[in-house]
Amino acid sequence: MPDIMIRDVSPKIADRFRTGATVRGLKQADYLAVLFDLLDVVRMRAAGGDAVLTKDLAELRLEPVTE
């Protein structure tokens, strides 16, 4: 399995990520996968008409994109 190297991550974000995985008993790769699953769920709810989630996703620049 390939490794992912992420540059220019602030120490605060890196710590939040490591802590989030650790307190849940997850490997960092598994925690990242779960976060992507959560994003999919949130996007589906937004697509289903949740205006607040749609607005929040847009503000975070996480709205669905088309290629």
Side-chain angles (χ1 to χ4, degrees):
M1 203 177 308
D3 288 334
I4 296 176
M5 301 297 291
I6 303 173
R7 295 179 208 178
D8 300 322
V9 176
S10 75
K12 180 179 177 181
I13 296 299
D15 187 55
R16 283 180 65 191
F17 183 75
R18 281 191 297 272
T19 301
T22 301
V23 299
R24 290 168 176 82
L26 297 171
K27 295 178 184 175
Q28 290 181 6
D30 295 330
Y31 186 52
L32 183 61
V34 169
L35 292 175
F36 275 108
D37 290 343
L38 174 62
L39 179 57
D40 290 341
V41 169
V42 170
R43 283 181 174 159
M44 283 189 288
R45 287 188 55 187
D50 189 320
V52 172
L53 283 179
T54 300
K55 179 180 173 283
D56 290 342
L57 286 170
E59 287 176 2
L60 294 168
R61 297 179 294 162
L62 290 172
E63 66 272 24
V65 295
T66 57
E67 295 181 46

